Amino acid sequence: MTDSVKPPRDAVPRVGVGVLVVRDGRILLGERRGAHGAGHWALPGGHLEHGETVEDCARRELAEETGLVGGVLTRGPWVSDVFEAEGLHYVTVFMVVRNPVGEVVLREPAKCTRWEWFSWKALPTPLFAPLASLRDSGFMP
């Protein structure tokens, strides 16, 4: 962080949970709208709530956003991203769910314009910062 950019006095890193949904070798991504990162492609996910496990957060967010039900979840890596313009800092923990139950439904159209499946080797652009950081780390789902 440069000296010219100072975080808000009460700023603390927040914990996000990203869900890597893998089906038939492809990853589910949504095009964000509204909040920071609008127009960027992102995984289903959201904020970890007080007292919630990362696994429960991943299941909750996946169902709320897509209607999919995650079965066995595997812990993935984590990344740390600072959103300078918004004064935000997120540590994002990733969970991997393979072959979820159900079909994708756009359940929160105010937050996401659409869901699509992509090959990890051919991800769309622009990517939401945590997903870009994950890709750039060399991680392979």
mmCIF file of all heavy atoms in Angstrom, residues 54-72:
data_model
loop_
_atom_site.group_PDB
_atom_site.id
_atom_site.type_symbol
_atom_site.label_atom_id
_atom_site.label_comp_id
_atom_site.label_asym_id
_atom_site.label_seq_id
_atom_site.Cartn_x
_atom_site.Cartn_y
_atom_site.Cartn_z
ATOM 1 N N VAL A 54 -16.788 -22.120 6.937
ATOM 2 C CA VAL A 54 -16.550 -21.824 5.529
ATOM 3 C C VAL A 54 -17.394 -22.758 4.658
ATOM 4 O O VAL A 54 -17.969 -22.332 3.649
ATOM 5 C CB VAL A 54 -15.046 -21.942 5.196
ATOM 6 C CG1 VAL A 54 -14.801 -21.788 3.714
ATOM 7 C CG2 VAL A 54 -14.256 -20.900 5.977
ATOM 8 N N GLU A 55 -17.507 -24.018 5.062
ATOM 9 C CA GLU A 55 -18.314 -24.976 4.301
ATOM 10 C C GLU A 55 -19.783 -24.574 4.274
ATOM 11 O O GLU A 55 -20.426 -24.622 3.218
ATOM 12 C CB GLU A 55 -18.164 -26.393 4.895
ATOM 13 C CG GLU A 55 -16.798 -26.991 4.703
ATOM 14 C CD GLU A 55 -15.755 -26.544 5.751
ATOM 15 O OE1 GLU A 55 -16.084 -25.742 6.655
ATOM 16 O OE2 GLU A 55 -14.605 -26.995 5.647
ATOM 17 N N ASP A 56 -20.318 -24.177 5.429
ATOM 18 C CA ASP A 56 -21.726 -23.758 5.486
ATOM 19 C C ASP A 56 -21.956 -22.494 4.669
ATOM 20 O O ASP A 56 -22.985 -22.347 4.005
ATOM 21 C CB ASP A 56 -22.179 -23.541 6.929
ATOM 22 C CG ASP A 56 -22.378 -24.851 7.678
ATOM 23 O OD1 ASP A 56 -22.466 -25.922 7.026
ATOM 24 O OD2 ASP A 56 -22.439 -24.810 8.929
ATOM 25 N N CYS A 57 -21.004 -21.568 4.705
ATOM 26 C CA CYS A 57 -21.117 -20.350 3.902
ATOM 27 C C CYS A 57 -21.145 -20.710 2.421
ATOM 28 O O CYS A 57 -21.971 -20.178 1.665
ATOM 29 C CB CYS A 57 -19.954 -19.408 4.201
ATOM 30 S SG CYS A 57 -19.966 -17.894 3.221
ATOM 31 N N ALA A 58 -20.261 -21.598 1.993
ATOM 32 C CA ALA A 58 -20.213 -21.997 0.586
ATOM 33 C C ALA A 58 -21.540 -22.626 0.159
ATOM 34 O O ALA A 58 -22.081 -22.295 -0.900
ATOM 35 C CB ALA A 58 -19.063 -22.968 0.343
ATOM 36 N N ARG A 59 -22.078 -23.517 0.976
ATOM 37 C CA ARG A 59 -23.369 -24.160 0.645
ATOM 38 C C ARG A 59 -24.495 -23.126 0.576
ATOM 39 O O ARG A 59 -25.322 -23.149 -0.327
ATOM 40 C CB ARG A 59 -23.704 -25.227 1.671
ATOM 41 C CG ARG A 59 -22.913 -26.490 1.515
ATOM 42 C CD ARG A 59 -23.436 -27.590 2.459
ATOM 43 N NE ARG A 59 -22.606 -28.769 2.330
ATOM 44 C CZ ARG A 59 -21.579 -29.052 3.118
ATOM 45 N NH1 ARG A 59 -21.266 -28.249 4.121
ATOM 46 N NH2 ARG A 59 -20.869 -30.140 2.922
ATOM 47 N N ARG A 60 -24.520 -22.218 1.560
ATOM 48 C CA ARG A 60 -25.572 -21.195 1.615
ATOM 49 C C ARG A 60 -25.504 -20.278 0.398
ATOM 50 O O ARG A 60 -26.513 -20.060 -0.284
ATOM 51 C CB ARG A 60 -25.437 -20.373 2.903
ATOM 52 C CG ARG A 60 -26.413 -19.199 2.987
ATOM 53 C CD ARG A 60 -26.239 -18.404 4.270
ATOM 54 N NE ARG A 60 -24.892 -17.917 4.500
ATOM 55 C CZ ARG A 60 -24.356 -16.850 3.893
ATOM 56 N NH1 ARG A 60 -25.051 -16.169 2.999
ATOM 57 N NH2 ARG A 60 -23.127 -16.458 4.188
ATOM 58 N N GLU A 61 -24.330 -19.754 0.107
ATOM 59 C CA GLU A 61 -24.185 -18.830 -1.015
ATOM 60 C C GLU A 61 -24.486 -19.515 -2.346
ATOM 61 O O GLU A 61 -25.133 -18.936 -3.215
ATOM 62 C CB GLU A 61 -22.777 -18.225 -1.038
ATOM 63 C CG GLU A 61 -22.489 -17.274 0.105
ATOM 64 C CD GLU A 61 -23.221 -15.940 -0.006
ATOM 65 O OE1 GLU A 61 -23.878 -15.669 -1.024
ATOM 66 O OE2 GLU A 61 -23.118 -15.143 0.953
ATOM 67 N N LEU A 62 -24.039 -20.757 -2.503
ATOM 68 C CA LEU A 62 -24.300 -21.492 -3.738
ATOM 69 C C LEU A 62 -25.805 -21.649 -3.956
ATOM 70 O O LEU A 62 -26.311 -21.389 -5.051
ATOM 71 C CB LEU A 62 -23.614 -22.858 -3.690
ATOM 72 C CG LEU A 62 -23.734 -23.717 -4.942
ATOM 73 C CD1 LEU A 62 -23.084 -23.036 -6.142
ATOM 74 C CD2 LEU A 62 -23.106 -25.089 -4.691
ATOM 75 N N ALA A 63 -26.526 -22.042 -2.930
ATOM 76 C CA ALA A 63 -27.979 -22.213 -3.045
ATOM 77 C C ALA A 63 -28.684 -20.879 -3.273
ATOM 78 O O ALA A 63 -29.570 -20.774 -4.122
ATOM 79 C CB ALA A 63 -28.525 -22.898 -1.797
ATOM 80 N N GLU A 64 -28.293 -19.830 -2.518
ATOM 81 C CA GLU A 64 -28.935 -18.521 -2.649
ATOM 82 C C GLU A 64 -28.762 -17.930 -4.041
ATOM 83 O O GLU A 64 -29.685 -17.335 -4.580
ATOM 84 C CB GLU A 64 -28.345 -17.537 -1.631
ATOM 85 C CG GLU A 64 -28.788 -17.748 -0.216
ATOM 86 C CD GLU A 64 -28.097 -16.811 0.773
ATOM 87 O OE1 GLU A 64 -27.287 -15.953 0.359
ATOM 88 O OE2 GLU A 64 -28.391 -16.934 1.976
ATOM 89 N N GLU A 65 -27.574 -18.093 -4.615
ATOM 90 C CA GLU A 65 -27.272 -17.441 -5.880
ATOM 91 C C GLU A 65 -27.633 -18.258 -7.108
ATOM 92 O O GLU A 65 -27.989 -17.691 -8.141
ATOM 93 C CB GLU A 65 -25.781 -17.077 -5.929
ATOM 94 C CG GLU A 65 -25.401 -16.042 -4.905
ATOM 95 C CD GLU A 65 -23.921 -15.699 -4.925
ATOM 96 O OE1 GLU A 65 -23.217 -16.081 -5.879
ATOM 97 O OE2 GLU A 65 -23.474 -15.023 -3.979
ATOM 98 N N THR A 66 -27.515 -19.581 -7.014
ATOM 99 C CA THR A 66 -27.661 -20.421 -8.212
ATOM 100 C C THR A 66 -28.739 -21.493 -8.112
ATOM 101 O O THR A 66 -29.078 -22.089 -9.120
ATOM 102 C CB THR A 66 -26.338 -21.142 -8.541
ATOM 103 O OG1 THR A 66 -26.099 -22.156 -7.548
ATOM 104 C CG2 THR A 66 -25.172 -20.174 -8.604
ATOM 105 N N GLY A 67 -29.220 -21.785 -6.910
ATOM 106 C CA GLY A 67 -30.168 -22.876 -6.733
ATOM 107 C C GLY A 67 -29.511 -24.239 -6.685
ATOM 108 O O GLY A 67 -30.188 -25.240 -6.444
ATOM 109 N N LEU A 68 -28.202 -24.307 -6.902
ATOM 110 C CA LEU A 68 -27.495 -25.589 -6.861
ATOM 111 C C LEU A 68 -27.279 -26.026 -5.421
ATOM 112 O O LEU A 68 -27.136 -25.197 -4.515
ATOM 113 C CB LEU A 68 -26.138 -25.480 -7.552
ATOM 114 C CG LEU A 68 -26.152 -25.232 -9.056
ATOM 115 C CD1 LEU A 68 -24.730 -24.984 -9.560
ATOM 116 C CD2 LEU A 68 -26.780 -26.409 -9.783
ATOM 117 N N VAL A 69 -27.242 -27.330 -5.219
ATOM 118 C CA VAL A 69 -26.961 -27.897 -3.908
ATOM 119 C C VAL A 69 -25.590 -28.555 -3.981
ATOM 120 O O VAL A 69 -25.358 -29.441 -4.810
ATOM 121 C CB VAL A 69 -28.024 -28.932 -3.500
ATOM 122 C CG1 VAL A 69 -27.669 -29.576 -2.168
ATOM 123 C CG2 VAL A 69 -29.402 -28.271 -3.438
ATOM 124 N N GLY A 70 -24.688 -28.068 -3.137
ATOM 125 C CA GLY A 70 -23.338 -28.621 -3.105
ATOM 126 C C GLY A 70 -23.288 -29.858 -2.234
ATOM 127 O O GLY A 70 -23.831 -29.859 -1.132
ATOM 128 N N GLY A 71 -22.678 -30.881 -2.723
ATOM 129 C CA GLY A 71 -22.502 -32.111 -1.948
ATOM 130 C C GLY A 71 -21.212 -32.017 -1.153
ATOM 131 O O GLY A 71 -21.067 -31.182 -0.275
ATOM 132 N N VAL A 72 -20.258 -32.835 -1.507
ATOM 133 C CA VAL A 72 -18.971 -32.841 -0.823
ATOM 134 C C VAL A 72 -18.157 -31.628 -1.261
ATOM 135 O O VAL A 72 -17.968 -31.390 -2.453
ATOM 136 C CB VAL A 72 -18.192 -34.145 -1.135
ATOM 137 C CG1 VAL A 72 -16.817 -34.114 -0.488
ATOM 138 C CG2 VAL A 72 -18.988 -35.348 -0.665
#
